[in-house]
Amino acid sequence: MYFVANWKMNPPLLKEAERLISQLKALVKGAKNIKDQKIIICPPAIFLPKLGKPNSSIRFGVQNVGFRERGAFTGEISVMMAKDQGAEFSIIGHSERRQYFGENIEACNEKIKLCLAHRVTPIYCVGETLEEKKAGKTRKVIQSQLEGGLRSINLIDAKNVIVCYEPVWAISSAKDASADTPDNVLGINILIRRIIKDLYESNTARKMTVLYGGSVNSENAPLYVKNKSTDGFLVGSASLHAGTFFSLIKKSVIQKQNVG
Ligand code: PGA
């Protein structure tokens, strides 16, 4: 399973980030059955080179990359720079990027293509806002995000994309946020695979890694594992505390062993 930590613009100081990583490494090292899990930490990019080498259990990613390879784009970090500093993954199209930085589907598409060209795995976030949900537009929104985000990406490259369903209203920082239900997440997981099948073919759709994000914590994570609605999680606030994040991983792994 995948456990992707999205630290967002936290913590404020490098020494706190270092502490968080070393606590997590110690917990993971001392645990049984965690070894095969994919734990991916996406810290603020500026901390990346300071957080040590990835090891077999903890790897690194960034929360965003620039939409061009290089050049006059003040403030941006390119995918090559991120990779050079240890990122193997990049979150793309997080709703906070769309909301606060005006990122549109075309930019997501450019970023996904750059990631794939440089062998950085894109974790492409899709999901509807509360208004879109209320208007019954969830399926349409996800369809257009997938079609647009994957435009002109060939079958071979598409196999290397991770999709994350993250409804905007479920993100813990949203007003009155609550996690989506495991049943609904299962329905969306099936929908995503159906869209991928139509865009590519059924084998790719079946094998694609599809994650869930939005108010995931150590209590509710096992419920999604139990109904097999996800291949893992994108975790925001619950990833900022090593003990909480580790407990989320451990409980999910135990549940996975129970459901087989
Ligand atoms: P949350 O954030 O787990 O705090 O809801 C998830 C995300 O925004 O990626």
Side-chain angles (χ1 to χ4, degrees):
M1 269 183 295
Y2 282 78
F3 299 92
V4 184
N6 178 10
W7 286 4
K8 309 192 180 183
M9 204 166 70
N10 300 291
L13 300 176
L14 173 63
K15 65 172 187 290
E16 293 174 46
E18 286 171 332
R19 194 182 315 129
L20 187 46
I21 283 291
S22 63
Q23 287 171 342
L24 188 63
K25 277 188 175 162
L27 287 167
V28 168
K29 201 172 165 201
K32 278 192 292 187
N33 306 328
I34 302 283
K35 234 180 36 249
D36 301 332
Q37 307 308 316
K38 295 182 175 70
I39 303 171
I40 298 151
I41 308 297
C42 301
I46 195 166
F47 292 160
L48 200 57
K50 305 276 187 187
L51 293 183
K53 294 264 166 286
N55 59 27
S56 56
S57 42
I58 294 186
R59 294 153 77 187
F60 291 99
V62 284
Q63 301 165 16
N64 177 45
V65 289
F67 76 116
R68 291 283 183 268
E69 198 145 58
R70 66 179 69 208
F73 300 100
T74 302
E76 288 294 88
I77 291 171
S78 76
V79 67
M80 280 165 88
M81 294 167 188
K83 186 174 182 182
D84 185 55
Q85 297 302 318
E88 295 176 74
F89 298 81
S90 177
I91 300 171
I92 300 290
H94 190 282
S95 61
E96 286 153 16
R97 300 284 326 160
R98 297 178 195 254
Q99 185 183 346
Y100 301 120
F101 304 98
E103 197 166 297
N104 58 23
I105 295 183
E106 289 72 35
C108 293
N109 179 236
E110 294 300 329
K111 292 176 183 200
I112 292 171
K113 286 193 281 196
L114 282 171
C115 284
L116 293 167
H118 292 283
R119 302 198 182 286
V120 167
T121 304
I123 301 170
Y124 180 41
C125 297
V126 299
E128 79 285 8
T129 62
L130 187 59
E131 293 67 42
E132 289 163 342
K133 179 183 163 72
K134 282 183 179 159
K137 290 186 181 156
T138 300
R139 284 165 185 261
K140 240 175 111 182
V141 167
I142 291 173
Q143 171 124 20
S144 77
Q145 288 171 335
L146 285 173
E147 282 174 2
L150 298 175
R151 183 157 296 136
S152 67
I153 291 172
N154 66 33
L155 175 64
I156 311 273
D157 281 342
K159 288 180 196 286
N160 295 321
V161 175
I162 293 176
V163 174
C164 178
Y165 173 54
E166 186 163 80
V168 181
W169 48 268
I171 296 176
S172 66
S173 54
K175 192 170 168 280
D176 302 326
S178 64
D180 201 355
T181 63
D183 279 351
N184 196 49
V185 172
L186 179 60
I188 301 289
N189 185 311
I190 293 166
L191 170 74
I192 289 172
R193 291 185 201 280
R194 197 175 307 138
I195 297 167
I196 297 295
K197 176 172 174 257
D198 291 345
L199 291 174
Y200 297 97
E201 39 90 58
S202 53
N203 200 33
T204 306
R206 206 171 42 246
K207 290 196 176 148
M208 182 158 264
T209 299
V210 181
L211 311 180
Y212 168 69
S215 294
V216 179
N217 56 42
S218 56
E219 299 305 314
N220 61 21
L223 305 177
Y224 302 97
V225 179
K226 190 171 179 189
N227 83 338
K228 301 189 179 179
S229 56
T230 187
D231 298 315
F233 303 101
L234 178 59
V235 186
S237 57
S239 71
L240 288 170
H241 185 277
T244 308
F245 190 48
F246 178 70
S247 152
L248 186 161
I249 297 169
K250 208 170 76 182
K251 287 185 181 175
S252 302
V253 170
I254 291 169
Q255 183 63 259
K256 178 91 175 174
Q257 284 161 350
N258 291 343
V259 293

